Amino acid sequence: MTGNGTRVGVLALQGAFAEHLKALNRLKLSGIEVRRAADLEGLSGLIIPGGESTAIGRLLAEMGLREPILRRVAEGMAVMGTCAGMILLAGETSDYPLEPLGLMDITVRRNAFGRQVDSFETPVAIAALGAMPFPAVFIRAPCIEKVGTAVEALGRLNDGRLVAARQGKLLALAFHPELTRDTRCHGLFVEML
Ligand code: GLN
């Protein structure tokens, strides 16, 4: 909760949720851990962290969170999905055995960088964040293969692969912005609320 009542939740079922809460703290926001449907009430935004997209997907269904998330988004809640979280946001996926939430008109390829390149850090130019490229950490990362007309491409790797996109109040990032000190991605998300 902040002074102006902005409530941001972080899905805390599996993965890097603690690091997202710390990133929000650096922006003077205290995030709310979301584990049950009731935790979603009153949130302006929700962060779906990186981790293991199959584990997060299964737990979402088990905890009865799928429908409540879709309902809250229809009511105007913003969502930022990072890495595994981006897979969950997708309308279509390659290499993902479960049904994603289908919130964004994007096709996401899981483990797009192959097993030989497990993780890497590289600067990504994202005009929406300003002139300085973002130090993006990729860990067994997905990428966006296809976007619909409502989707704004925000950032690409040098080889042209799309790794950041926005559709209305939905923000998809293939990398882990919570693992660097740079809070601009979280700042952009908070501005979208
Ligand atoms: N490869 C993971 C998956 O498919 C995502 C990795 C991550 O979130 N860092 O779930």
Side-chain angles (χ1 to χ4, degrees), residues 11-136:
L11 187 67
L13 299 176
Q14 193 269 338
F17 56 88
E19 290 79 3
H20 277 290
L21 291 165
K22 283 183 199 145
L24 291 171
N25 284 342
R26 282 184 224 123
L27 293 173
K28 307 274 177 276
L29 285 165
S30 57
I32 293 153
E33 294 185 18
V34 172
R35 295 195 174 85
R36 302 167 309 136
D39 301 330
L40 292 165
E41 296 314 318
L43 296 185
S44 318
L46 174 70
I47 297 174
I48 306 182
E52 180 51 48
S53 54
T54 50
I56 297 173
R58 280 200 193 97
L59 288 165
L60 271 182
E62 259 170 47
M63 300 306 289
L65 276 163
R66 278 184 70 96
E67 292 312 316
I69 288 175
L70 299 180
R71 175 177 56 79
R72 292 292 293 113
V73 170
E75 290 168 0
M77 183 179 73
V79 184
M80 172 165 80
T82 65
C83 202
M86 177 173 98
I87 298 171
L88 268 303
L89 279 179
E92 282 188 51
T93 48
S94 328
D95 258 354
Y96 183 57
L98 306 174
E99 197 188 336
L101 289 168
L103 286 166
M104 284 180 77
D105 193 5
I106 57 177
T107 302
V108 170
R109 173 167 294 277
R110 193 172 168 223
N111 298 322
F113 298 90
R115 309 226 168 258
Q116 64 281 28
V117 196
D118 246 18
S119 62
F120 58 97
E121 183 175 334
T122 189
V124 177
I126 299 176
L129 300 179
M132 205 171 60
F134 191 85

